Amino acid sequence: MKLINNICLTAFAVLAFNAGNAQKASQKIDYSTFPAKKSELTQIERERWSHLDLAKDSLPGMSVDRAYAELLKDRKAEKIIVAVIDSGVDIEHEDLQSVVWINKKEIAGNGVDDDKNGYIDDVHGWNFLGDANDEQLEMTRIVKKGDDGSETYKAAKAAYDEKYAEAMGGKQQVDFIFNALNTISEHLKKEDYTVEEIRAIQPNTQQLAQSQMIMLSIIEQTGPNFREELDGFKKQINDMINVNLNLDFDGRKVVGDNVNDIKDTKYGNNNVIGLNKEDADHGTHVAGIIAQIRNNGKGGDGVANNVEIMAIRAVPNGDEYDKDIALAIRYAVDNGAKVINGSFGKSFSPQKQWVFDAIKYAASKDVLIVHAAGNDGHNIDLPGNNNFPNDSEDGVKEISNNLITIGALAPTLGSEMVASFSNYGKSNVDIFAPGKDIYATVPNNKYVYHQGTSMASPNAAGVASLIRSYYPSLTAAQVKTILMDSGTPMTHVVELGSTSEQKPFTEASKSGKIVNAYNALLMAEKMAKTKKKK
């Protein structure tokens, strides 16, 4: 019976959408009646669930594959530049090197600012971090400056103390787990071992029995790649204590600029990967979600097929500086980007006005900024739950019409559809896109699954890039409107954030919708035709 219902709903959806008005059609369909996928995802479904279609596949994807099959086949598009402001991008990756932006006005390696844009040899973008990578959190930098009696200091100190206690608790967990890990290693007389070898142990001491029980419990949560997961957890905790929350740490001294002077722009270098490729993991994944080559048999597929990735390194292992972000946005705008992806964020922004000014500058040049909503599991409409940068000084009125904020979805339909880590908010999150278990490029020609609103943002940016590529007459503001108005409306009651607050999905964002490439392109077609007639 369910199969028949699925077929009928799919047929109805096709007929309705092809009528030419995606917005009206989507309002006629009650998506809450669509059955959730009951079986485990196949490997192919898991690798590309974000591209799949709700009606056809019972997953809250963006209907990207359907858009290519039904709307974009044999269509010509204008190539556009998409800036990725992030930790760096492995521009040598097999699935990205052919889509990396090349500044044709610059002669590579001659040590001259040929295009006179202020940046020497910026052939593929710019690295505002220079040789730096590790950084403090912004709250740490505020606390380090000392108590000035301000409310900002009080809030930062409270947040810092809470974060530090949390990190020390994490260190206790790490020590406890790695003691068990080492006990197993000593018993098996080797460092690397499989789940099966742990299960086969016949404990002859209480300590070994306890260590076996601990490790098997952890493996149930992490899977067969438990060692990699644990090493990552350990590094994260150590980085938090030794770098991000370390009041004595100074990662900026190797950069050589004055971070409090927005006019001091002569810093950084043209190495958009960074000193170590591994540090460009996050940015490479983001770039891949947007633009990894489609249908080449390697890894996953990017959302957009006619873009060049401009790599801008401005996001360290820690909190980014407002100055770097403001200058990175301006660099992207001045060098031709039509879409900017920002998969970063922080709770405090001492020089947020610099970033506001940069966002307004981007708006004046018709550039769309797509930004991640953040991974704290908070309602960012509430006071104190800030996620910077944003486009509102008071949390209500927007300063521009060119920034869209994206929450993250999980690959399931129903109450658990919103990823538990995702921030949400009826006023300050605009729309949701797939952000959990997203398969894409990482350095050294590898591909992995990552999760975060950092992954949801480039999924939405990919759809925005499709619109700007196939309908170049539409403005950044119009593309933002299309993404929000053409999205798939959902009425499910969902669990939101770290507290699993239950609300209708319509209350999780301003639009109450999911980004949908198919619907968006239909709406763009109609809007472009209307604009042409005028």
Side-chain angles (χ1 to χ4, degrees), residues 2-65:
K2 287 182 179 178
L3 178 61
I4 294 173
N5 287 341
N6 268 336
I7 293 172
C8 290
L9 284 167
T10 302
F12 176 75
V14 171
L15 288 171
F17 284 133
N18 282 341
N21 189 332
Q23 185 180 16
K24 189 178 290 185
S26 65
Q27 290 171 349
K28 290 180 179 179
I29 302 173
D30 183 2
Y31 289 94
S32 64
T33 64
F34 280 45
K37 187 174 179 63
K38 300 296 184 183
S39 60
E40 289 287 327
L41 270 62
T42 65
Q43 182 177 340
I44 292 176
E45 286 174 331
R46 189 178 175 220
E47 286 180 359
R48 63 185 308 107
W49 78 267
S50 57
H51 290 219
L52 300 183
D53 181 79
L54 179 62
K56 180 182 176 184
D57 305 295
S58 298
L59 290 165
M62 302 188 300
S63 303
V64 176
D65 290 347

Side-chain angles (χ1 to χ4, degrees), residues 292-327:
Q292 57 195 352
I293 304 301
R294 294 184 62 83
N295 304 317
N296 66 350
K298 297 177 181 179
D301 286 343
V303 177
N305 65 342
N306 276 287
V307 301
E308 294 178 338
I309 295 295
M310 176 191 290
I312 305 178
R313 188 168 183 265
V315 183
N317 172 30
D319 277 349
E320 58 280 357
Y321 280 91
D322 293 328
K323 174 185 173 181
D324 293 341
I325 297 306
L327 292 178

Side-chain angles (χ1 to χ4, degrees), residues 326-340:
L327 292 178
I329 291 171
R330 288 178 179 275
Y331 177 91
V333 172
D334 290 341
N335 289 279
K338 299 304 290 182
V339 175
I340 298 173

